Amino acid sequence: MNDTFLKACRGEKTDYTPVWIMRQAGRYLPDYQKVRAKVDFLTLCKTPQLAAEVTFQPVDILKVDAAILFSDILIPIEPMGMKLEFSESKGPILYDPIRSETAILKLRQIKPAEDVPFVAEAIKILTSKLNVPLIGFSGAPFTLATYMIEGGSSKNYVNTKKMMFQTPEIFANLMEKITDTVIGYLQLQVDAGVQAIQVFDSWAGILSPVDFEAYILPYVQKIVSTFKGKLPVIYFAFNGSAMLDKVKLADADVYGIDWRIDISDAISAIGDKGAVQGNLDPCTLLGDRALIKDRVSKVLAGAKGAKGHIFNLGHGILPEIPFENAIEMVKDVHELSSK
Ligand code: CP3
């Protein structure tokens, strides 16, 4: 087992900088497209053999140092009682968005082993064959709450902020319910054998630092403290570069960093609170090989003082990116960082 990724998570010395890519299994890979041509996205997530197959793809093709379970952050929301659909044009749709106390009361507490058995089954297939660690994941409570309240992706998150600012107790009820679901959902993945977990807070950056601290942080801290010490916990507050002094209070082992900050400044902000993961602008991979190599070397140089560094993009890879460039990036990271 190549444990370079786990060592870097724990802040231990490594022979080279480990690398994986957020959304590394996805539409930019022709092999993924082939599987997706046969089944819709939700069926793919819910069929362990297929989910495992596409999880393996980037490990084989890109030679990354970690695999991430193929699934979606919205998967546990369906058994909570909301109808979920992925539309090719609009992205995720959640029907009957949660806008009232009554709607929150109706939400079910999920029973992971019964409601999402396919997640544990996919993990078991994967860990029996992988030669790199497997990362499990969940959405963070706030990010999941935005999808549940808005009914999908949103521009200004007005409904979310309305509930948050006008009826904070009702919003807190929702956040508590989601937090319990997230903990159960992650526990299922840990029991099935994942070796690290990442909590995706994709919309944390829509709040000001003071509201991040009030409305997001306590719930993330509860999740992190449940798993801390058992396996590495990565917290990624996307668009949170301007409030890393608050983000680091999550007390995670690793912090995901987006590309809007120089990684050396992110490391100064986090100090010895944790390792960092990031932070190349995904669109750098639209550039030529010389540009990719130059930007990779700059991130590696900037991360020299980190407690630990896991190379990644600053957000998920996009369908428009040529997969050959992703292969090249991984090669560059390995070569340029080898001691
Ligand atoms: O990283 C991986 O390879 C593991 C798989 C993974 C997916 N989604 C697969 C996916 C992970 C970790 C996610 C997380 C996720 N899902 C997040 C957090 C990360 C982030 O990007 O900020 C969010 C916000 C979602 C919600 C979601 N899922 C959206 C908004 C969309 C539609 C937009 C899009 O990219 O199409 C999805 C769909 C989705 N999730 C796809 C994949 C591969 C594309 C579906 C397809 O095959 O058509």
Side-chain angles (χ1 to χ4, degrees):
M1 161 73 72
N2 168 1
D3 65 347
T4 312
F5 163 78
L6 294 174
K7 280 185 172 159
C9 288
R10 296 189 293 250
E12 295 167 14
K13 274 208 162 31
T14 56
D15 297 332
Y16 62 89
T17 303
V19 49
W20 67 280
I21 298 177
M22 285 185 278
R23 297 271 188 113
Q24 65 191 12
R27 286 162 299 183
Y28 77 106
L29 279 181
D31 291 36
Y32 173 84
Q33 296 276 19
K34 275 186 212 149
V35 178
R36 262 290 269 121
K38 288 182 264 172
V39 290
D40 64 67
F41 176 65
L42 271 178
T43 305
L44 179 48
C45 291
K46 293 177 186 176
T47 312
Q49 207 61 46
L50 292 178
E53 181 182 339
V54 298
T55 303
F56 285 125
Q57 287 175 354
V59 179
D60 295 337
I61 298 167
L62 308 181
K63 314 282 181 234
V64 283
D65 299 287
I68 181 162
L69 171 70
F70 188 83
S71 185
D72 197 85
I73 60 166
L74 302 178
I75 288 291
I77 294 180
E78 214 177 22
M80 285 183 87
M82 295 184 81
K83 183 168 148 34
L84 169 67
E85 202 180 286
F86 279 87
S87 133
E88 295 292 334
S89 53
K90 286 188 260 169
I93 302 170
L94 285 158
Y95 290 88
D96 299 322
I98 306 296
R99 304 270 167 86
S100 68
E101 192 169 16
T102 329
I104 295 169
L105 285 171
K106 277 196 206 141
L107 289 170
R108 285 183 63 235
Q109 212 43 262
I110 73 162
K111 295 195 180 99
E114 287 166 35
D115 292 327
V116 290
F118 47 86
V119 170
E121 284 166 35
I123 292 168
K124 283 178 189 147
I125 297 172
L126 285 160
T127 49
S128 69
K129 292 188 190 144
L130 278 167
N131 59 357
V132 292
L134 178 65
I135 305 168
F137 69 90
S138 168
F142 181 74
T143 290
L144 294 177
T146 68
Y147 282 102
M148 294 168 81
I149 298 169
E150 304 295 340
S153 304
S154 168
K155 190 153 180 265
N156 293 318
Y157 299 91
V158 171
N159 295 300
T160 305
K161 292 189 180 185
K162 197 170 163 187
M163 190 194 286
M164 204 177 94
F165 289 128
Q166 290 186 350
T167 53
E169 329 69 43
I170 293 179
F171 182 75
N173 287 343
L174 177 61
M175 289 291 281
E176 275 159 26
K177 253 186 156 154
I178 300 173
T179 302
D180 289 344
T181 288
V182 166
I183 290 173
Y185 184 61
L186 286 170
Q187 188 63 55
L188 172 93
Q189 297 179 49
V190 173
D191 292 342
V194 299
Q195 286 134 305
I197 50 178
Q198 174 154 327
V199 179
F200 285 92
D201 220 345
S202 304
W203 307 124
I206 66 165
L207 294 191
S208 66
V210 66
D211 291 321
F212 172 85
E213 199 165 8
Y215 296 102
I216 290 186
L217 195 57
Y219 306 96
V220 174
Q221 284 169 330
K222 184 172 177 191
I223 295 163
V224 173
S225 67
T226 304
F227 297 99
K228 186 102 190 249
K230 296 177 185 151
L231 76 177
V233 182
I234 308 168
Y235 177 52
F236 181 37
F238 179 59
N239 246 326
S241 315
M243 52 184 185
L244 288 174
D245 56 325
K246 299 276 191 279
V247 170
K248 73 178 178 189
L249 302 176
D251 204 26
D253 297 287
V254 184
Y255 295 92
I257 309 292
D258 66 61
W259 67 92
R260 294 171 182 84
I261 185 170
D262 193 292
I263 198 156
S264 61
D265 292 330
I267 292 161
S268 304
I270 288 165
D272 63 1
K273 279 289 283 179
V276 290
Q277 176 173 280
N279 77 337
L280 196 71
D281 179 347
C283 288
T284 310
L285 299 184
L286 296 169
D288 65 17
R289 295 199 164 170
L291 179 101
I292 294 168
K293 191 167 187 177
D294 176 71
R295 296 302 193 270
V296 166
S297 73
K298 287 192 163 90
V299 170
L300 289 172
K304 279 250 150 56
K307 182 178 176 189
H309 179 215
I310 298 126
F311 196 101
N312 205 315
L313 300 177
H315 201 185
I317 193 165
L318 302 167
E320 293 81 1
I321 288 169
F323 77 97
E324 297 90 344
N325 289 358
I327 297 177
E328 203 60 23
M329 183 199 86
V330 171
K331 227 191 256 168
D332 286 342
V333 173
H334 285 156
E335 281 173 19
L336 293 168
S337 68
S338 283
K339 313 260 150 62

